[in-house]
Coordinates of all heavy atoms in Angstrom, one line a residue:
M840 N 108.4 128.1 101.3 CA 108.1 127.8 102.7 C 109.2 127.0 103.3 O 110.3 126.8 102.7 CB 106.8 127.0 102.8 CG 105.6 127.7 102.2 SD 105.3 129.4 102.8 CE 105.1 129.2 104.5
S841 N 109.0 126.4 104.5 CA 110.1 125.6 105.1 C 109.5 124.5 105.9 O 108.3 124.4 106.1 CB 110.9 126.5 106.0 OG 110.1 127.0 107.0
G842 N 110.4 123.6 106.3 CA 110.0 122.4 107.1 C 110.7 121.2 106.5 O 111.5 121.3 105.7
H843 N 110.3 120.1 107.1 CA 110.9 118.8 106.6 C 110.5 118.5 105.2 O 109.3 118.6 104.9 CB 110.6 117.7 107.6 CG 111.3 117.8 108.9 ND1 110.7 118.3 110.0 CD2 112.5 117.5 109.2 CE1 111.5 118.3 111.0 NE2 112.7 117.8 110.6
T844 N 111.5 118.2 104.4 CA 111.2 118.0 102.9 C 110.4 116.7 102.7 O 110.6 115.7 103.4 CB 112.6 117.8 102.2 OG1 113.4 119.0 102.4 CG2 112.4 117.6 100.7
L845 N 109.4 116.8 101.9 CA 108.6 115.6 101.5 C 109.3 114.7 100.6 O 110.1 115.2 99.7 CB 107.2 116.1 100.9 CG 106.3 117.0 101.7 CD1 105.1 117.3 101.0 CD2 106.0 116.4 103.1
T846 N 109.0 113.4 100.7 CA 109.6 112.4 99.8 C 108.4 111.5 99.3 O 107.3 111.6 99.8 CB 110.7 111.6 100.5 OG1 110.0 110.8 101.5 CG2 111.8 112.4 101.1
T847 N 108.8 110.6 98.4 CA 107.7 109.7 98.0 C 107.3 108.7 99.1 O 106.3 108.1 99.0 CB 108.3 108.8 96.8 OG1 109.5 108.2 97.2 CG2 108.4 109.7 95.6
A848 N 108.0 108.7 100.2 CA 107.6 107.9 101.4 C 106.7 108.7 102.4 O 106.2 108.2 103.4 CB 108.8 107.4 102.1
S849 N 106.6 110.0 102.2 CA 105.8 110.8 103.1 C 104.3 110.4 103.0 O 103.8 109.9 102.0 CB 105.9 112.3 102.7 OG 107.2 112.8 102.8
V850 N 103.6 110.7 104.1 CA 102.2 110.3 104.2 C 101.4 111.6 104.1 O 101.5 112.5 105.0 CB 101.8 109.5 105.4 CG1 100.3 109.2 105.5 CG2 102.7 108.2 105.5
L851 N 100.5 111.7 103.1 CA 99.7 112.9 102.9 C 98.2 112.4 102.7 O 98.0 111.3 102.2 CB 100.1 113.7 101.7 CG 101.3 114.5 101.7 CD1 102.6 113.7 101.7 CD2 101.4 115.5 100.6
I852 N 97.3 113.3 103.1 CA 95.8 113.0 103.0 C 95.1 114.2 102.5 O 95.5 115.3 102.7 CB 95.2 112.5 104.3 CG1 95.3 113.5 105.4 CG2 95.8 111.1 104.7 CD1 94.5 113.2 106.7
C853 N 93.9 113.9 101.9 CA 93.0 115.0 101.5 C 92.2 115.4 102.7 O 92.2 114.7 103.7 CB 92.2 114.6 100.3 SG 90.7 113.5 100.7
P854 N 91.4 116.5 102.6 CA 90.7 116.9 103.8 C 89.6 115.9 104.2 O 89.0 116.0 105.3 CB 90.0 118.2 103.4 CG 90.6 118.6 102.1 CD 91.3 117.4 101.6
H855 N 89.3 114.9 103.3 CA 88.2 113.9 103.6 C 88.8 112.6 103.9 O 88.0 111.6 104.0 CB 87.3 113.9 102.4 CG 87.0 115.2 101.8 ND1 87.6 115.7 100.7 CD2 86.2 116.2 102.3 CE1 87.1 117.0 100.5 NE2 86.3 117.3 101.5
G856 N 90.1 112.5 104.1 CA 90.7 111.2 104.5 C 91.3 110.4 103.3 O 91.8 109.3 103.6
G857 N 91.2 110.8 102.1 CA 91.7 110.1 101.0 C 93.3 110.1 101.0 O 93.9 111.1 101.6
Q858 N 93.9 109.1 100.6 CA 95.4 108.9 100.6 C 96.0 109.6 99.4 O 95.5 109.4 98.3 CB 95.8 107.5 100.7 CG 95.3 106.8 101.9 CD 95.9 107.3 103.2 OE1 97.1 107.4 103.3 NE2 95.0 107.7 104.1
V859 N 97.1 110.3 99.6 CA 97.8 110.9 98.4 C 99.0 110.0 98.1 O 99.8 109.7 99.0 CB 98.3 112.3 98.8 CG1 99.1 112.9 97.7 CG2 97.1 113.2 99.1
R860 N 99.1 109.7 96.8 CA 100.3 108.9 96.4 C 101.2 109.8 95.5 O 100.7 110.4 94.6 CB 99.8 107.7 95.5 CG 100.9 106.8 95.1 CD 100.4 105.6 94.4 NE 101.5 105.0 93.6 CZ 101.4 104.7 92.3 NH1 100.3 104.9 91.7 NH2 102.4 104.2 91.7
I861 N 102.4 109.8 95.9 CA 103.4 110.7 95.2 C 104.2 109.8 94.2 O 104.8 108.8 94.6 CB 104.4 111.4 96.2 CG1 103.6 112.1 97.3 CG2 105.3 112.3 95.5 CD1 104.5 112.6 98.4
T862 N 104.1 110.2 93.0 CA 104.9 109.5 91.9 C 106.0 110.5 91.4 O 105.6 111.6 90.9 CB 104.0 109.1 90.8 OG1 103.0 108.2 91.3 CG2 104.8 108.3 89.8
A863 N 107.2 110.2 91.6 CA 108.3 111.1 91.3 C 108.5 111.1 89.8 O 108.5 110.1 89.1 CB 109.6 110.6 91.9
A864 N 108.6 112.4 89.3 CA 108.9 112.6 87.8 C 110.4 112.2 87.5 O 110.7 111.6 86.5 CB 108.7 114.0 87.5
A865 N 111.3 112.4 88.5 CA 112.7 112.0 88.4 C 113.2 111.8 89.8 O 113.0 112.6 90.6 CB 113.5 113.2 87.7
A866 N 113.8 110.6 89.9 CA 114.2 110.2 91.3 C 115.7 110.4 91.4 O 116.4 109.6 92.0 CB 113.8 108.8 91.6
R867 N 116.3 111.5 90.9 CA 117.7 111.7 91.0 C 118.2 112.1 92.4 O 119.3 111.8 92.8 CB 118.2 112.7 90.0 CG 118.1 112.2 88.6 CD 118.6 113.2 87.6 NE 117.7 114.3 87.5 CZ 117.8 115.3 86.7 NH1 118.9 115.4 85.9 NH2 116.9 116.3 86.6
V868 N 117.3 112.8 93.2 CA 117.7 113.2 94.5 C 116.8 112.4 95.5 O 115.6 112.4 95.4 CB 117.4 114.7 94.7 CG1 117.8 115.2 96.1 CG2 118.2 115.5 93.7
T869 N 117.5 111.7 96.4 CA 116.8 110.9 97.4 C 117.2 111.2 98.8 O 118.3 111.7 99.1 CB 117.0 109.4 97.2 OG1 118.4 109.1 97.3 CG2 116.6 109.0 95.8
I870 N 116.3 110.9 99.8 CA 116.6 111.0 101.2 C 116.2 109.7 101.8 O 115.0 109.3 101.6 CB 115.8 112.1 101.9 CG1 116.1 113.5 101.3 CG2 116.0 112.1 103.4 CD1 115.3 114.6 101.7
A871 N 117.1 109.0 102.4 CA 116.8 107.7 103.0 C 116.2 106.7 102.0 O 115.3 105.9 102.3 CB 116.0 107.8 104.2
G872 N 116.6 106.8 100.7 CA 116.1 105.9 99.7 C 114.8 106.3 99.0 O 114.4 105.6 98.1
A873 N 114.2 107.4 99.4 CA 112.9 107.8 98.8 C 113.2 109.1 98.0 O 113.9 110.0 98.5 CB 111.9 108.1 99.9
A874 N 112.6 109.2 96.9 CA 112.8 110.4 96.0 C 112.2 111.7 96.7 O 111.2 111.6 97.3 CB 112.1 110.2 94.7
V875 N 113.0 112.8 96.6 CA 112.5 114.1 97.1 C 111.3 114.5 96.2 O 111.3 114.4 95.0 CB 113.6 115.1 97.0 CG1 113.1 116.5 97.3 CG2 114.7 114.7 98.0
A876 N 110.2 115.0 96.9 CA 109.0 115.4 96.2 C 109.2 116.8 95.7 O 109.7 117.7 96.4 CB 107.8 115.3 97.1
T877 N 108.8 117.0 94.4 CA 108.9 118.4 93.8 C 107.6 118.7 93.1 O 106.7 117.8 93.0 CB 110.0 118.4 92.7 OG1 109.6 117.7 91.6 CG2 111.3 117.9 93.2
T878 N 107.4 119.9 92.7 CA 106.2 120.4 92.0 C 106.1 119.7 90.6 O 105.0 119.7 90.1 CB 106.2 121.9 91.8 OG1 107.4 122.3 91.1 CG2 106.1 122.6 93.1
A879 N 107.1 119.0 90.1 CA 107.0 118.3 88.8 C 106.4 116.9 89.0 O 106.1 116.3 88.0 CB 108.4 118.2 88.2
D880 N 106.3 116.4 90.3 CA 105.8 115.1 90.5 C 104.2 115.1 90.4 O 103.6 116.1 90.4 CB 106.2 114.6 91.9 CG 107.7 114.5 92.1 OD1 108.4 114.4 91.0 OD2 108.2 114.5 93.2
T881 N 103.7 113.8 90.4 CA 102.3 113.6 90.4 C 101.8 113.3 91.8 O 102.4 112.4 92.5 CB 101.9 112.5 89.5 OG1 102.4 112.8 88.1 CG2 100.4 112.2 89.4
F882 N 100.8 114.0 92.3 CA 100.3 113.8 93.6 C 98.8 113.3 93.4 O 97.9 114.2 93.3 CB 100.3 115.0 94.5 CG 101.8 115.5 94.8 CD1 102.5 116.2 93.9 CD2 102.3 115.2 96.0 CE1 103.8 116.6 94.2 CE2 103.6 115.6 96.3 CZ 104.4 116.2 95.4
A883 N 98.6 112.0 93.3 CA 97.2 111.5 93.0 C 96.5 111.1 94.3 O 97.1 110.5 95.2 CB 97.3 110.3 92.1
V884 N 95.3 111.4 94.4 CA 94.5 111.1 95.6 C 93.6 109.9 95.3 O 92.9 109.9 94.3 CB 93.6 112.3 96.0 CG1 92.8 112.0 97.3 CG2 94.4 113.6 96.3
T885 N 93.6 109.0 96.2 CA 92.7 107.8 96.0 C 91.9 107.6 97.3 O 92.3 108.0 98.4 CB 93.5 106.5 95.8 OG1 94.4 106.3 96.8 CG2 94.2 106.6 94.4
G886 N 90.7 107.1 97.2 CA 89.9 106.8 98.3 C 89.2 108.0 99.0 O 88.7 107.8 100.1
C887 N 89.0 109.1 98.3 CA 88.3 110.2 98.9 C 86.8 110.0 98.8 O 86.3 109.8 97.7 CB 88.7 111.5 98.1 SG 87.7 113.0 98.7
P888 N 86.1 110.1 99.9 CA 84.7 109.8 99.9 C 83.8 111.0 99.7 O 82.5 110.9 99.7 CB 84.4 109.2 101.3 CG 85.4 110.0 102.1 CD 86.6 110.2 101.2
F889 N 84.4 112.2 99.4 CA 83.6 113.4 99.4 C 82.5 113.4 98.4 O 82.6 112.9 97.2 CB 84.5 114.6 99.1 CG 83.7 115.9 99.2 CD1 83.2 116.4 100.4 CD2 83.5 116.7 98.1 CE1 82.5 117.6 100.5 CE2 82.8 117.9 98.1 CZ 82.3 118.3 99.3
Q890 N 81.3 113.9 98.8 CA 80.1 114.1 97.9 C 79.6 115.4 98.1 O 79.5 115.9 99.2 CB 79.1 113.0 98.2 CG 79.5 111.6 98.0 CD 78.4 110.6 98.2 OE1 77.2 110.9 98.0 NE2 78.7 109.4 98.6
I891 N 79.1 116.0 97.0 CA 78.4 117.3 97.1 C 77.0 117.1 97.7 O 76.2 116.3 97.1 CB 78.3 118.0 95.8 CG1 79.7 118.3 95.2 CG2 77.5 119.3 95.8 CD1 79.8 118.8 93.8
P892 N 76.7 117.7 98.8 CA 75.3 117.5 99.4 C 74.3 118.0 98.5 O 74.4 119.1 97.9 CB 75.4 118.3 100.7 CG 76.8 118.5 101.0 CD 77.5 118.5 99.6
A893 N 73.3 117.2 98.2 CA 72.1 117.6 97.4 C 71.0 116.6 97.7 O 71.1 115.8 98.6 CB 72.5 117.5 95.9
V894 N 69.9 116.8 97.0 CA 68.8 115.8 97.2 C 69.3 114.4 97.0 O 69.1 113.5 97.7 CB 67.6 116.2 96.3 CG1 66.5 115.1 96.4 CG2 67.0 117.5 96.6
V895 N 70.0 114.3 95.9 CA 70.8 113.1 95.6 C 72.2 113.5 95.6 O 72.7 114.2 94.7 CB 70.4 112.5 94.2 CG1 71.2 111.3 93.8 CG2 68.9 112.2 94.1
P896 N 73.0 113.0 96.6 CA 74.4 113.4 96.7 C 75.2 113.1 95.4 O 75.0 112.0 94.8 CB 75.0 112.6 97.9 CG 73.7 112.2 98.6 CD 72.6 112.1 97.7
V897 N 76.1 114.0 95.0 CA 76.9 113.8 93.8 C 78.3 113.6 94.2 O 78.9 114.4 94.9 CB 76.8 115.1 92.9 CG1 77.6 115.0 91.7 CG2 75.3 115.4 92.6
P898 N 78.9 112.5 93.8 CA 80.3 112.2 94.1 C 81.2 113.3 93.5 O 81.1 113.7 92.4 CB 80.6 110.8 93.5 CG 79.3 110.2 93.3 CD 78.3 111.4 93.1
S899 N 82.1 113.8 94.4 CA 83.1 114.8 93.9 C 84.4 114.6 94.7 O 84.8 115.5 95.4 CB 82.5 116.2 94.2 OG 83.4 117.2 93.7
P900 N 85.0 113.4 94.5 CA 86.2 113.1 95.3 C 87.4 114.0 94.8 O 87.5 114.4 93.7 CB 86.5 111.7 95.0 CG 85.9 111.5 93.6 CD 84.7 112.4 93.6
C901 N 88.3 114.2 95.8 CA 89.6 114.8 95.5 C 90.4 113.8 94.6 O 90.3 112.6 94.8 CB 90.4 115.0 96.7 SG 89.6 116.2 97.9
V902 N 91.1 114.3 93.5 CA 91.8 113.4 92.7 C 93.3 113.7 92.5 O 94.1 112.9 92.1 CB 91.2 113.3 91.3 CG1 89.8 112.7 91.3 CG2 91.1 114.7 90.6
R903 N 93.6 115.0 92.9 CA 95.0 115.4 92.8 C 95.3 116.5 93.7 O 94.4 117.2 94.2 CB 95.4 115.7 91.3 CG 94.8 116.9 90.8 CD 95.2 117.2 89.3 NE 94.5 118.3 88.8 CZ 95.1 119.5 88.7 NH1 96.3 119.7 89.2 NH2 94.4 120.6 88.2
V904 N 96.6 116.8 93.9 CA 97.1 117.9 94.7 C 97.8 118.9 93.8 O 98.6 118.5 93.0 CB 98.0 117.4 95.8 CG1 98.6 118.6 96.6 CG2 97.3 116.5 96.8
Q905 N 97.5 120.2 94.0 CA 98.3 121.2 93.3 C 99.0 122.0 94.4 O 98.4 122.5 95.3 CB 97.3 122.1 92.5 CG 98.1 123.3 91.8 CD 97.1 124.1 91.0 OE1 96.0 123.8 90.8 NE2 97.6 125.2 90.5
W906 N 100.3 122.3 94.2 CA 101.1 123.0 95.1 C 101.0 124.5 94.8 O 101.4 124.9 93.7 CB 102.5 122.5 95.2 CG 102.5 121.1 95.8 CD1 102.5 120.0 95.1 CD2 102.4 120.8 97.2 NE1 102.5 118.9 96.0 CE2 102.3 119.4 97.3 CE3 102.2 121.6 98.3 CZ2 102.2 118.7 98.5 CZ3 102.1 120.9 99.5 CH2 102.1 119.5 99.6
L907 N 100.5 125.3 95.7 CA 100.4 126.8 95.5 C 101.6 127.5 95.9 O 102.0 128.5 95.3 CB 99.2 127.3 96.2 CG 97.8 126.6 95.9 CD1 96.7 127.1 96.8 CD2 97.5 126.8 94.4
V908 N 102.2 127.1 97.1 CA 103.4 127.7 97.6 C 104.4 126.6 97.9 O 104.4 126.0 99.0 CB 103.1 128.5 98.9 CG1 104.4 129.2 99.3 CG2 102.0 129.5 98.6
P909 N 105.3 126.3 97.0 CA 106.4 125.3 97.2 C 107.5 125.9 98.0 O 107.4 127.1 98.4 CB 106.8 124.9 95.8 CG 106.6 126.1 95.0 CD 105.4 126.8 95.6
D910 N 108.6 125.2 98.2 CA 109.8 125.7 98.8 C 110.4 126.8 97.9 O 110.4 126.6 96.7 CB 110.8 124.6 99.1 CG 110.3 123.6 100.1 OD1 109.5 124.0 101.0 OD2 110.8 122.5 100.0
L911 N 110.7 127.9 98.4 CA 111.2 129.0 97.6 C 112.6 129.0 97.2 O 113.0 129.5 96.2 CB 110.9 130.4 98.3 CG 109.4 130.6 98.6 CD1 109.2 131.9 99.4 CD2 108.5 130.6 97.4
T912 N 113.5 128.3 98.0 CA 114.9 128.3 97.7 C 115.4 126.9 97.3 O 116.5 126.8 96.8 CB 115.7 128.9 98.9 OG1 115.4 128.1 100.0 CG2 115.3 130.3 99.1
A913 N 114.7 125.9 97.6 CA 115.3 124.5 97.4 C 114.7 123.9 96.1 O 113.5 124.1 95.8 CB 114.9 123.6 98.6
R914 N 115.6 123.3 95.3 CA 115.2 122.7 94.1 C 115.8 121.3 94.0 O 116.9 121.1 94.5 CB 115.6 123.5 92.9 CG 114.9 124.9 92.9 CD 115.3 125.8 91.7 NE 114.5 125.6 90.5 CZ 113.3 125.9 90.4 NH1 112.6 126.4 91.4 NH2 112.6 125.7 89.3
A915 N 115.2 120.4 93.2 CA 115.7 119.1 93.0 C 115.3 118.7 91.5 O 114.2 118.8 91.2 CB 115.1 118.0 93.9
G916 N 116.3 118.4 90.7 CA 116.0 118.1 89.3 C 115.4 119.3 88.6 O 114.7 119.1 87.6
G917 N 115.7 120.5 89.0 CA 115.2 121.7 88.3 C 113.8 122.2 88.7 O 113.4 123.2 88.3
A918 N 113.2 121.4 89.6 CA 111.8 121.8 90.1 C 111.9 122.1 91.6 O 112.7 121.6 92.3 CB 110.8 120.7 89.9
A919 N 111.0 123.0 92.0 CA 110.9 123.4 93.4 C 110.5 122.2 94.3 O 109.6 121.4 93.9 CB 109.9 124.5 93.6
T920 N 111.2 122.0 95.4 CA 110.8 121.0 96.3 C 109.6 121.4 97.1 O 109.2 122.6 97.1 CB 111.9 120.6 97.3 OG1 112.3 121.8 98.0 CG2 113.2 120.1 96.5
V921 N 108.9 120.4 97.8 CA 107.8 120.7 98.7 C 108.1 120.2 100.1 O 108.8 119.1 100.2 CB 106.5 120.2 98.1 CG1 106.0 121.0 97.0 CG2 106.5 118.8 97.8
S922 N 107.7 120.8 101.1 CA 108.0 120.4 102.5 C 106.7 120.5 103.3 O 105.6 121.0 102.8 CB 109.1 121.3 103.0 OG 108.6 122.7 103.1
R923 N 106.8 120.2 104.6 CA 105.7 120.3 105.5 C 105.1 121.7 105.5 O 103.9 121.8 105.7 CB 106.1 119.9 106.9 CG 105.0 119.9 107.9 CD 105.4 119.5 109.3 NE 105.7 118.1 109.5 CZ 104.7 117.2 109.7 NH1 103.5 117.6 109.7 NH2 105.0 115.9 109.9
G924 N 105.9 122.7 105.3 CA 105.4 124.1 105.3 C 104.8 124.6 104.0 O 104.3 125.7 103.9
S925 N 104.9 123.8 103.0 CA 104.4 124.2 101.7 C 102.9 124.2 101.7 O 102.3 123.4 102.4 CB 104.9 123.3 100.6 OG 106.3 123.3 100.5
A926 N 102.3 125.0 100.8 CA 100.8 125.1 100.8 C 100.3 124.4 99.5 O 100.7 124.7 98.4 CB 100.3 126.5 100.8
G927 N 99.5 123.4 99.7 CA 98.9 122.6 98.6 C 97.4 122.5 98.8 O 96.9 122.5 99.9
V928 N 96.7 122.4 97.6 CA 95.3 122.2 97.7 C 94.9 121.0 96.9 O 95.5 120.7 95.9 CB 94.5 123.5 97.1 CG1 94.9 123.7 95.6 CG2 93.1 123.5 97.3
C929 N 93.9 120.3 97.4 CA 93.3 119.1 96.8 C 92.2 119.6 95.8 O 91.4 120.4 96.1 CB 92.7 118.1 97.8 SG 94.0 117.5 98.9
L930 N 92.2 118.9 94.6 CA 91.3 119.3 93.6 C 90.4 118.1 93.1 O 90.9 117.0 93.1 CB 92.1 119.8 92.3 CG 93.0 121.0 92.5 CD1 93.8 121.3 91.3 CD2 92.2 122.3 92.9
A931 N 89.2 118.4 92.8 CA 88.3 117.4 92.2 C 88.7 117.3 90.7 O 89.5 118.0 90.2 CB 86.8 117.9 92.3
A932 N 88.1 116.3 90.1 CA 88.4 116.1 88.6 C 88.0 117.3 87.8 O 88.6 117.5 86.7 CB 87.6 114.8 88.2
T933 N 87.1 118.1 88.3 CA 86.6 119.3 87.5 C 87.6 120.4 87.7 O 87.4 121.5 87.1 CB 85.2 119.7 88.0 OG1 85.3 119.9 89.4 CG2 84.2 118.6 87.7
G934 N 88.6 120.3 88.7 CA 89.5 121.4 89.0 C 89.0 122.2 90.1 O 89.7 123.2 90.5
V935 N 87.9 121.9 90.7 CA 87.4 122.7 91.8 C 88.2 122.4 93.1 O 88.4 121.2 93.4 CB 85.9 122.4 92.1 CG1 85.4 123.1 93.3 CG2 85.1 122.8 90.9
P936 N 88.7 123.4 93.8 CA 89.4 123.2 95.1 C 88.5 122.6 96.1 O 87.4 123.0 96.3 CB 89.8 124.6 95.5 CG 89.7 125.4 94.3 CD 88.6 124.8 93.4
Q937 N 89.0 121.5 96.8 CA 88.3 120.8 97.8 C 88.8 121.1 99.2 O 88.1 120.8 100.2 CB 88.4 119.3 97.6 CG 88.0 118.9 96.2 CD 86.5 118.7 96.0 OE1 85.7 119.7 96.1 NE2 86.1 117.5 95.7
G938 N 90.0 121.7 99.3 CA 90.5 122.0 100.7 C 92.0 121.7 100.7 O 92.6 121.2 99.7
P939 N 92.7 122.0 101.8 CA 94.1 121.9 101.9 C 94.6 120.4 102.0 O 93.9 119.6 102.6 CB 94.5 122.7 103.1 CG 93.3 122.6 103.9 CD 92.1 122.6 103.0
V940 N 95.7 120.1 101.5 CA 96.3 118.8 101.7 C 96.9 118.7 103.1 O 97.4 119.7 103.6 CB 97.4 118.5 100.6 CG1 98.6 119.4 100.8 CG2 97.9 117.0 100.7
G941 N 96.7 117.6 103.7 CA 97.3 117.4 105.1 C 98.5 116.5 105.0 O 98.6 115.5 104.4
V942 N 99.6 117.0 105.7 CA 100.8 116.2 105.8 C 100.8 115.5 107.2 O 100.8 116.1 108.2 CB 102.0 117.2 105.7 CG1 103.3 116.4 105.9 CG2 102.0 117.9 104.4
V943 N 100.8 114.2 107.1 CA 100.7 113.3 108.3 C 102.1 112.9 108.8 O 102.4 113.0 110.0 CB 99.8 112.1 108.0 CG1 99.8 111.2 109.2 CG2 98.4 112.5 107.6
A944 N 103.0 112.5 107.9 CA 104.3 112.0 108.3 C 105.3 112.4 107.2 O 105.0 112.2 106.0 CB 104.3 110.5 108.5
V945 N 106.5 112.8 107.6 CA 107.6 113.1 106.7 C 108.9 112.5 107.3 O 108.9 112.1 108.5 CB 107.8 114.6 106.6 CG1 106.6 115.3 105.9 CG2 108.1 115.3 107.9
Q946 N 109.9 112.5 106.5 CA 111.2 112.1 106.9 C 111.8 113.1 107.9 O 111.6 114.3 107.6 CB 112.1 111.7 105.8 CG 112.3 112.9 104.8 CD 113.2 114.0 105.3 OE1 114.2 113.8 106.0 NE2 112.9 115.2 104.9
P947 N 112.5 112.8 108.9 CA 113.1 113.7 109.8 C 114.5 114.2 109.6 O 115.0 115.0 110.4 CB 113.0 113.0 111.2 CG 113.3 111.6 110.7 CD 112.6 111.4 109.4
L948 N 115.1 113.8 108.5 CA 116.5 114.0 108.3 C 116.9 115.4 107.6 O 117.9 116.0 108.0 CB 117.1 112.9 107.4 CG 117.0 111.5 108.0 CD1 117.5 110.5 107.0 CD2 117.7 111.4 109.3
V949 N 116.1 115.8 106.7 CA 116.4 117.0 105.9 C 115.2 118.0 105.9 O 114.1 117.6 105.8 CB 116.7 116.6 104.4 CG1 117.0 117.9 103.6 CG2 117.8 115.7 104.3
S950 N 115.6 119.3 106.1 CA 114.5 120.3 106.1 C 115.0 121.5 105.4 O 116.3 121.7 105.3 CB 114.0 120.6 107.5 OG 114.6 121.7 108.1
T951 N 114.1 122.3 104.8 CA 114.5 123.5 104.2 C 114.5 124.7 105.2 O 113.7 124.6 106.1 CB 113.5 123.8 103.0 OG1 112.2 123.9 103.5 CG2 113.7 122.8 101.9
A952 N 115.2 125.7 104.9 CA 115.3 126.8 105.8 C 114.2 127.8 105.6 O 113.7 127.9 104.6 CB 116.7 127.5 105.7

């Protein structure tokens, strides 16, 4: 995909408002001091309030992001980078897809074609 490259300073959210924290596997490539985000990194979701509706609601928060379509031509540290145009899905602890990850803010300096 294409768009402004995500970094560890980018702001991402799950569909229910939980915050995504990006932990870089290797911080060899940086933009404005923040590591470029790749598919090898950990994208952990915290604060997701989602519950499965039932007679007694069952908590089913988003816990991580899986990238389905990363950048096709850009790589950093051997792994595909991710950008605003990449497609990612938030997953529950059971691995059930909960919805698309939302990109709120990215660095404006570098983008993939």
Side-chain angles (χ1 to χ4, degrees):
M840 298 308 301
S841 64
H843 289 98
T844 303
L845 301 182
T846 68
T847 53
S849 297
V850 178
L851 286 73
I852 59 171
C853 79
H855 316 103
Q858 298 295 309
V859 177
R860 181 172 163 234
I861 306 169
T862 303
R867 291 185 286 186
V868 180
T869 62
I870 300 171
V875 169
T877 72
T878 55
D880 297 341
T881 302
F882 294 80
V884 181
T885 57
C887 176
F889 184 67
Q890 297 185 29
I891 297 172
V894 175
V895 176
V897 178
S899 182
C901 299
V902 296
R903 68 183 178 95
V904 175
Q905 178 179 349
W906 293 97
L907 304 175
V908 183
D910 295 332
L911 301 177
T912 58
R914 299 181 86 68
T920 61
V921 289
S922 65
R923 183 180 283 280
S925 298
V928 64
C929 295
L930 302 173
T933 58
V935 174
Q937 306 275 64
V940 65
V942 178
V943 177
V945 298
Q946 56 73 34
L948 303 173
V949 179
S950 97
T951 56

